[in-house]
Amino acid sequence: MQSSNLPTIFSITESEIDLNNLVAQITLTSTGAAAIFTGMVRGVTSRGDEHETEYLEYEAYIPMAEEKMKQVADEIREKWPVIEGIAIVQRIGKLYPKTPTVLIACTAAHRDTGVFDAARYGIDRLKEIVPVWKKEVGPNGEEWIEGDYIPKAGE
Amino acid sequence: MQSSNLPTIFSITESEIDLNNLVAQITLTSTGAAAIFTGMVRGVTSRGDEHETEYLEYEAYIPMAEEKMKQVADEIREKWPVIEGIAIVQRIGKLYPKTPTVLIACTAAHRDTGVFDAARYGIDRLKEIVPVWKKEVGPNGEEWIEGDYIPKAGE
Amino acid sequence: MAVNLVMYIMNKIKLLFFATIRDRAGVKSLELDIPAEMTVKDLKDKLSTDYPGLKDSMKSVLVAINHEYAFDEAIVPQDAEIGMFPPVSGG
Amino acid sequence: MAVNLVMYIMNKIKLLFFATIRDRAGVKSLELDIPAEMTVKDLKDKLSTDYPGLKDSMKSVLVAINHEYAFDEAIVPQDAEIGMFPPVSGG
């Protein structure tokens, strides 16, 4: 696969995430499979500290976030060279329950090429190295959510 | 999870597959993650017998296909009881390269719940037991694609 | 006597053909009167004899009775809807 | 002498704070003149001293120099853009 000609989309946006449009943008004539992950705001969380969420307020260090998204895409292509298209989108701003906040989509010729693993890897890495934060606002006030990953040199 | 109240969508359709709408329909207030698979018509296939495709013509044994889709959803819920919503859609008719033909989407509270495996299982099972067939039309004429799975008693 | 009575009851079934099987049958569906207590195997044999174009297909055909996969030993129930088709290839 | 000369060159850097760090700093960004050849560790110590509100945050803060993660021993380059923030929590 000549990765220079392959579609790679990464963006931080305040607009709605349009799955149809994003998948279409990373579909080539040789594409037969797309694995897509989307995350959405939970209004009710029952695992761990049970609580309700009124909304999340996302912010990003935009130019660095876009560079790190590109890095995640590069890592995916290195690990799964058969991947054809990659889309990585993080929505920011004030987002209410049930709203999709993030999308990772990977396409390939066939579904048994690692395309599911690639999408899974993408969302895991996004949550490790892409500088985006969210503040949770609920009935008991507001609180910044902090991740727990400490990037290593070269990441 | 009380599976009787959880959204399960299955359909055979001649209309465009709308990912945004389908994911929204299986998103609950407790949902934080969706894993989605879509398959699309390849215009060019290079694995195995290299060839080009002008279009695929899909047909289904509709009432049985819908029952088997429901069975796939039931199997998913049995294997991954934390799955919240499930959508299984097969588009039929004459479909051209790059067009999404099938969708499997599963939602859950978190991404580490097996939601990716559930979607993968769903598309694998659909291709085994849901009575849908496709005829490939290309520059060298037309040919029915045949699967190779023989269902066992009780499937 | 009950046993003799059963033997005279005929079973009106509906056959539906799909994909390659339909192409070879030349029709999408067929209504058929078959003897009661016929097995799937008997039905396939009967179709092989009555419709020579289907003979090869009957060796590997998948059969569904009332939307559930069925196998050679199964008895075809009264008024069954029988689907006949090759291995599926959706997705 | 070259060595002495370097010691007098100051480095004008831009600091950007995000999430909890911004809340504690009370500002989104800061322009600062720092001595050349200062390390990330030195910069964190300086901020802890000059902005007491940031003292606790400086222990666990993540630092990026020109959009790449940087660690205590790294030298802050000329005209650097330095991002300071807690572990990320996007998605």
Side-chain angles (χ1 to χ4, degrees), chain A residues 58-59 61 63-64 67-68 90 101-102 126-134 144-147 151-153 155, chain D residues 16-20 22-24 60 62 64 66-69 71 81-91:
Chain A
Y58 282 77
E59 69 171 57
Y61 181 6
M64 178 171 172
E67 286 178 35
K68 290 292 148 189
Q90 171 75 55
T101 59
V102 68
L126 179 136
K127 285 172 173 264
E128 286 178 348
I129 65 168
V130 176
V132 174
W133 304 269
K134 57 192 170 208
W144 282 101
I145 314 290
E146 284 200 16
K152 295 178 286 294
E155 272 192 312
Chain D
L16 300 173
F17 302 122
F18 297 93
T20 44
R22 187 195 53 238
D23 284 357
R24 291 198 197 122
S60 59
L62 297 185
N66 298 331
H67 308 157
E68 292 296 339
Y69 288 104
F71 302 88
E81 178 177 302
I82 311 284
M84 291 191 158
F85 44 79
V88 308
S89 61

Side-chain angles (χ1 to χ4, degrees), chain C residues 60-76:
Chain C
S60 58
V61 71
L62 297 185
V63 176
I65 298 179
N66 298 331
H67 307 158
E68 291 296 338
Y69 289 104
F71 301 87
D72 280 355
E73 324 71 47
I75 303 289
V76 178

Side-chain angles (χ1 to χ4, degrees), chain B residues 9-138:
Chain B
I9 297 166
F10 39 87
S11 85
I12 304 283
T13 179
E14 300 204 29
S15 310
E16 258 183 53
I17 296 178
D18 183 341
L19 278 70
N20 296 319
N21 177 262
L22 288 161
V23 171
Q25 283 190 67
I26 59 168
T27 298
L28 308 181
T29 181
S30 52
T31 298
I36 307 152
F37 176 83
T38 63
M40 39 283 270
V41 179
R42 273 189 309 279
V44 174
T45 298
S46 47
R47 189 162 83 175
D49 174 34
E50 269 191 53
H51 65 281
E52 283 175 37
T53 303
E54 206 175 298
Y55 63 86
L56 296 178
E57 178 115 36
Y58 282 78
E59 70 170 59
Y61 180 7
I62 294 178
M64 178 172 173
E66 289 179 343
E67 286 179 35
K68 290 293 150 190
M69 284 175 163
K70 165 128 186 12
Q71 179 179 324
V72 172
D74 289 344
E75 289 178 10
I76 289 172
R77 292 198 187 284
E78 205 185 319
K79 283 174 187 284
W80 292 276
V82 296
I83 293 298
E84 297 184 341
I86 300 174
I88 305 179
V89 180
Q90 172 76 55
R91 188 171 177 190
I92 57 172
K94 201 190 256 195
L95 299 174
Y96 289 84
K98 295 178 138 190
T99 310
T101 59
V102 68
L103 168 137
I104 309 275
C106 295
T107 58
H110 305 273
R111 76 186 187 288
D112 60 359
T113 49
V115 69
F116 282 89
D117 296 331
R120 176 71 199 263
Y121 178 86
I123 182 63
D124 287 349
R125 284 298 273 163
L126 178 137
K127 284 172 173 264
E128 287 178 349
I129 65 167
V130 176
V132 174
W133 304 270
K134 56 192 171 208
K135 188 166 65 177
E136 183 161 18
V137 179

Side-chain angles (χ1 to χ4, degrees), chain A residues 5-136:
Chain A
N5 297 323
L6 297 174
T8 305
I9 297 166
F10 37 89
S11 83
I12 304 283
T13 178
E14 300 205 27
S15 310
E16 259 184 53
I17 296 178
D18 183 341
L19 278 70
N20 296 318
N21 177 261
L22 287 161
V23 171
Q25 284 189 66
I26 58 168
T27 299
L28 307 182
T29 182
S30 52
T31 298
I36 307 152
F37 176 84
T38 62
M40 40 283 270
V41 179
R42 273 189 309 279
V44 174
T45 298
S46 47
R47 189 162 83 175
D49 175 34
E50 270 192 50
H51 65 280
E52 284 176 36
T53 304
E54 204 175 300
Y55 62 86
L56 296 178
E57 177 115 37
Y58 282 77
E59 69 171 57
Y61 181 6
I62 295 178
M64 178 171 172
E66 289 180 343
E67 286 178 35
K68 290 292 148 189
M69 284 175 162
K70 166 133 187 4
Q71 179 180 324
V72 171
D74 290 344
E75 290 178 10
I76 289 172
R77 293 199 188 283
E78 204 184 319
K79 285 174 186 283
W80 293 277
V82 297
I83 294 298
E84 296 183 340
I86 300 174
I88 304 179
V89 179
Q90 171 75 55
R91 188 172 176 189
I92 58 172
K94 201 189 256 197
L95 298 174
Y96 289 85
K98 296 178 138 191
T99 310
T101 59
V102 68
L103 168 137
I104 309 275
C106 296
T107 58
H110 305 273
R111 76 187 187 288
D112 60 359
T113 48
V115 69
F116 282 88
D117 296 332
R120 175 71 199 264
Y121 179 85
I123 183 62
D124 287 349
R125 284 298 273 163
L126 179 136
K127 285 172 173 264
E128 286 178 348
I129 65 168
V130 176
V132 174
W133 304 269
K134 57 192 170 208
K135 189 165 65 177
E136 182 161 18

Side-chain angles (χ1 to χ4, degrees), chain C:
Chain C
M1 278 169 300
V3 173
N4 280 342
L5 187 62
V6 167
M7 293 190 64
Y8 288 104
I9 296 176
M10 293 299 279
N11 180 5
K12 193 179 204 67
I13 62 167
K14 183 165 189 187
L15 281 165
L16 300 173
F17 301 123
F18 297 92
T20 44
I21 313 291
R22 186 194 53 240
D23 283 357
R24 290 196 198 123
V27 291
K28 279 188 173 186
S29 67
L30 216 53
E31 304 228 329
L32 223 62
D33 284 317
I34 60 168
E37 304 292 306
M38 205 179 201
T39 65
V40 165
K41 178 74 171 66
D42 295 336
L43 175 61
K44 292 189 328 192
D45 289 345
K46 178 179 162 58
L47 290 170
S48 294
T49 309
D50 298 352
Y51 304 84
L54 284 177
K55 195 169 180 197
D56 280 350
S57 302
M58 286 302 116
K59 288 172 195 157
S60 58
V61 71
L62 297 185
V63 176
I65 298 179
N66 298 331
H67 307 158
E68 291 296 338
Y69 289 104
F71 301 87
D72 280 355
E73 324 71 47
I75 303 289
V76 178
Q78 288 292 313
D79 305 315
E81 178 178 301
I82 310 285
M84 291 191 159
F85 44 79
V88 308
S89 60

